[in-house]
């Protein structure tokens, strides 16, 4: 039964990973190797999050068994009645759980340190063959691997000087490898938690303030407008060069024209039609130095620049569309509330329109405010636990106190739910920063499926490197890692800790994690809470959203004007489509009316042609007799039918 429960959890994680990957990337357009590698990196990272609470509950079960056995062995006869320890839900044997951790952890480490960096360089390489791209990726990562090799050697030499016996067949070398990986992850954890623990509650609180969201969206639109314009000009310039170079190689015999055609294929038809409404601009373009690009190295460099420019333009265009749609929706929502009109919503989702309208107009604001207050409480809960988890004489850490209380007061199987809640909030704060992080022209995750391959691979690298240190930090917070919290009386440890080992093999890490980790997290939280970085960047010339600032207000007004231009453009486009549809319906109706008249005439002619010949002969005889009677030579024709004949 426990194995089935574990399989169900793994399947749920599989579905969640598939949903996130489909939400943030276009699976059909990107390289299958990129998709598979990213999926494995995300999947294994989420497995650690979902299965670790089960490991904690099983560890409390083993502690219960040890305590029970100790009571039975130390008491005198007759032996007291000690209740049996109940298995937690989803219990699996220790060897199964340990093998799962071994496969998940080492696969994620191989991905994040070897495979994913190579794939990043591979997808951005400008070479025209697979072997050339692999060669360029290896060369680009040589410096990267050299730096990490030096760091590992430094840690190894430091451990040897401190008296640690290094034997490749023993456990210490494995712990040093894990420590070298987790050291980088701990630094990343400090930065991401320092940002996420503050920004997640702030974002939820501001999400319930529509006026703030609308002003912030105007500001982001104006800020993005210059970047989008710069990206468009860069793509125009590169496309002109490539097109003129392609036209100048009509008589090429060395296969260079085929490589230039490969570069041209990076420009989609939509981008060309948008940037070059008149193709004459391209045909008349002139580039005197086109001969300088005929060498292999020049073409590779041009190809790499093309990939980078197109990715930058696609990211800017995707962000522009998202921001404009958000601004239009918030304007419509504000207008409907102020004028008492019903909000017009699209009918392309499975949720009824009435339910969504009630959510946006009535429930969204109070729900986000309540959720913001809850996350503020959780932030203080985590910060206090980070600052007090090394105090073991009394259980001062809130995380350890709640976990121990759930184990003693109710049942240790409830610790699985408590542990899941704490670790999910830690992961949410860290992942919130990863999924919201934007590195200028390098990394951006778009939730509408427009993320480029380089960004999606970089996110997998961050998740694989970050998740194990977060779990080690969590185990220290709840006093489950005895070497971190110095709580030696617990007696048992999780299977995850048995695999990862302890950081006290390297003394500087064992001592520093208790002191410097909480200090750095609190310091970064204070910096982000008072927005010190935003004010510093704003004062040195970088655009930052600062309330009640003149430059910010000017950018907000400019963004509002850009949104109005987009609204007018959409309105004209809709009116044009309506006119075209009206003309199409009119022409269709006229055509159908004409065709009906023609068909009616043809049917009448057909009926006339199908009359019996005898009837026609009788009519002919009647007409001829009447004519003979009326036209007798002795009688003048009557004037009564004169005008009828005419």
């Amino acid at each position: 039964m426990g194995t089935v429960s574990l399989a169900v959890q793994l399947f749920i994680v599989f579905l969640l990973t598939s949903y996130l990957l489909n939400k943030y990337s276009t699976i059909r357009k990107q390289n299958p190797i990129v998709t598979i590698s990213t999926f494995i990196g995300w999947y294994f990272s989420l497995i650690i999050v979902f299965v670790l609470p089960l490991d904690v509950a099983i560890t409390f079960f083993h502690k219960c068994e040890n305590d029970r056995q100790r009571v039975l062995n130390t008491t005198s006869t007759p032996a007291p009645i000690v209740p049996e320890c109940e298995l937690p839900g989803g219990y699996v044997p220790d060897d199964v759980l340990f093998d799962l951790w071994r496969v998940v952890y080492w696969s994620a480490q191989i991905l994040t340190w070897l495979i994913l960096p190579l794939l990043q360089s591979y997808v951005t390489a400008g070479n025209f063959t697979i072997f050339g791209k692999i060669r360029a990726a290896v060369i680009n990562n040589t410096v990267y691997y050299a730096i990490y090799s030096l760091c590992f050697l430094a840690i190894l030499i430091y451990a040897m000087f401190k008296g640690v016996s290094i034997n490749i067949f023993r456990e210490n070398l494995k712990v040093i490898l894990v420590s070298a990986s987790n050291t980088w992850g701990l630094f990343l954890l400090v930065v991401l938690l320092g940002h996420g623990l503050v920004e997640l509650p702030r974002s939820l609180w501001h999400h319930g303030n529509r006026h703030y969201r609308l002003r912030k969206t105007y500001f982001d639109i104006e800020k993005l407008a210059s970047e989008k314009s710069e990206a468009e000009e860069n793509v125009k310039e590169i496309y002109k060069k490539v097109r003129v170079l392609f036209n100048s190689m009509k008589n090429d015999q060395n296969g260079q024209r085929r490589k230039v055609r490969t570069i041209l294929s990076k420009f989609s038809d939509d981008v060309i039609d948008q940037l070059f409404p008149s193709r004459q601009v391209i045909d008349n373009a002139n580039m005197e130095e086109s001969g300088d690009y005929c060498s292999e190295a020049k073409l590779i460099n041009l190809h790499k620049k093309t990939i980078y420019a197109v990715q930058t333009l696609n990211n800017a265009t995707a962000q522009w569309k998202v921001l404009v749609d958000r601004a239009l929706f918030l304007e419509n929502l504000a207008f409907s509330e102020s004028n008492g009109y019903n909000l017009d919503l699209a009918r392309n989702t499975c949720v009824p329109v009435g339910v969504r309208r009630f959510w946006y107009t009535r429930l969204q604001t109070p729900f986000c405010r309540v959720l913001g207050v809850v996350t503020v409480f959780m932030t203080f809960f985590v910060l206090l636990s980070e600052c007090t988890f090394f105090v073991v004489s009394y259980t001062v850490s809130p995380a350890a106190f709640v976990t121990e209380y759930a184990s003693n007061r109710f049942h240790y199987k409830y610790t699985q739910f408590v542990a899941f809640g704490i670790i999910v909030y830690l992961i949410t704060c860290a992942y919130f920063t990863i999924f919201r992080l934007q590195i200028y022209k390098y990394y951006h995750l778009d939730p509408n499926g427009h993320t480029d391959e380089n960004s999606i691979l970089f996110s997998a690298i961050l998740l694989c490197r970050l998740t194990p240190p977060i779990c080690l930090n969590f185990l220290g917070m709840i006093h489950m890692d005895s070497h971190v919290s110095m709580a030696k009386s617990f007696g048992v440890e999780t299977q995850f800790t048995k695999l990862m080992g302890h950081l006290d093999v390297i003394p500087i890490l064992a001592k520093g994690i208790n002191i410097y980790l909480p200090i750095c997290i609190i310091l970064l939280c204070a910096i982000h809470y008072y927005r010190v970085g935003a004010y510093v960047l704003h004062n040195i010339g970088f655009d930052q959203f600062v309330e009640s600032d003149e430059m910010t207000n000017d950018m907000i007004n400019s963004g509002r004007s850009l949104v109005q231009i987009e609204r007018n453009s959409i309105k004209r486009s809709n009116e044009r489509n309506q006119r075209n549809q009206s003309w199409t319906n009119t022409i269709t109706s006229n055509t159908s009316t004409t065709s009906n008249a023609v068909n009616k005439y043809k049917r009448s002619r057909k009926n006339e042609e199908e009359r019996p010949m005898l009837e026609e002969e009788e009519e002919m005889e009647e007409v001829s007799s009447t004519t003979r009677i009326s036209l007798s030579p002795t009688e003048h024709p009557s004037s009564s039918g004169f005008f009828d004949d005419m």
Side-chain angles (χ1 to χ4, degrees), residues 19 208 228 276 305 382 408 411 493 629:
Y19 168 75
K228 182 172 177 289
F276 299 98
K305 287 182 179 179
V382 170
N408 298 332
H411 197 279
E493 59 184 7
I629 293 173

Side-chain angles (χ1 to χ4, degrees), residues 20-239:
L20 291 175
L21 190 61
N22 183 66
K23 180 180 177 62
Y24 282 92
S25 66
T26 306
I27 299 177
R28 296 184 299 273
K29 294 182 180 180
Q30 64 187 15
N31 195 315
I33 299 178
V34 174
T35 303
I36 295 173
S37 302
T38 305
F39 180 84
I40 294 175
W42 287 15
Y43 182 57
F44 283 175
S45 300
L46 292 176
I47 282 177
I48 298 176
V49 176
F50 277 78
V51 181
L52 186 62
L54 175 63
D55 195 0
V56 171
I58 293 175
T59 304
F60 272 97
F61 167 72
H62 291 321
K63 181 177 183 297
C64 175
E65 285 189 329
N66 292 344
D67 295 341
R68 180 176 180 275
Q69 191 65 33
R70 188 182 302 109
V71 170
L72 293 177
N73 293 336
T74 56
T75 54
S76 58
T77 56
I81 300 176
V82 182
E84 295 285 341
C85 296
E86 183 181 354
L87 289 174
Y91 174 83
V92 292
D94 291 343
D95 55 348
V96 174
L97 201 57
F98 184 81
D99 292 338
L100 175 64
W101 289 136
R102 180 185 297 168
V103 172
V104 168
Y105 178 76
W106 289 114
S107 299
Q109 294 305 303
I110 293 174
L111 274 176
T112 188
W113 295 108
L114 296 177
I115 299 178
L116 294 179
L118 286 174
L119 283 178
Q120 266 193 300
S121 301
Y122 178 86
V123 298
T124 57
N127 301 73
F128 299 95
T129 61
I130 296 177
F131 177 77
K133 289 186 176 182
I134 294 175
R135 179 174 173 271
V138 173
I139 293 175
N140 290 337
N141 286 274
T142 301
V143 178
Y144 171 82
Y145 292 133
I147 293 174
Y148 280 99
S149 298
L150 290 176
C151 293
F152 173 72
L153 288 176
I155 295 176
L156 193 64
I157 294 172
Y158 174 79
M160 293 176 63
F161 275 117
K162 290 296 182 179
V164 178
S165 60
I166 306 299
N167 192 332
I168 196 170
F169 300 103
R170 294 189 178 180
E171 195 72 14
N172 287 339
L173 185 59
K174 184 201 75 172
V175 175
I176 292 175
L177 286 171
V178 174
S179 301
S181 174
N182 290 337
T183 302
W184 190 92
L186 288 173
F187 286 114
L188 182 63
L189 173 64
V190 169
V191 175
L192 296 183
L193 279 185
H195 179 271
L197 287 172
V198 174
E199 291 300 324
L200 179 60
R202 178 182 287 167
S203 298
L204 290 173
W205 182 266
H206 286 324
H207 197 75
N209 188 349
R210 299 195 188 99
H211 180 68
Y212 176 87
R213 289 179 61 197
L214 187 57
R215 287 172 55 86
K216 183 67 166 56
T217 305
Y218 287 150
F219 177 85
D220 292 338
I221 288 175
E222 171 61 22
K223 183 179 178 181
L224 184 63
S226 58
E227 299 178 8
K228 182 172 177 289
S229 177
E230 181 183 352
E232 290 176 351
E233 292 298 326
N234 191 21
V235 171
K236 284 182 180 181
E237 181 181 355
I238 295 178
Y239 184 79

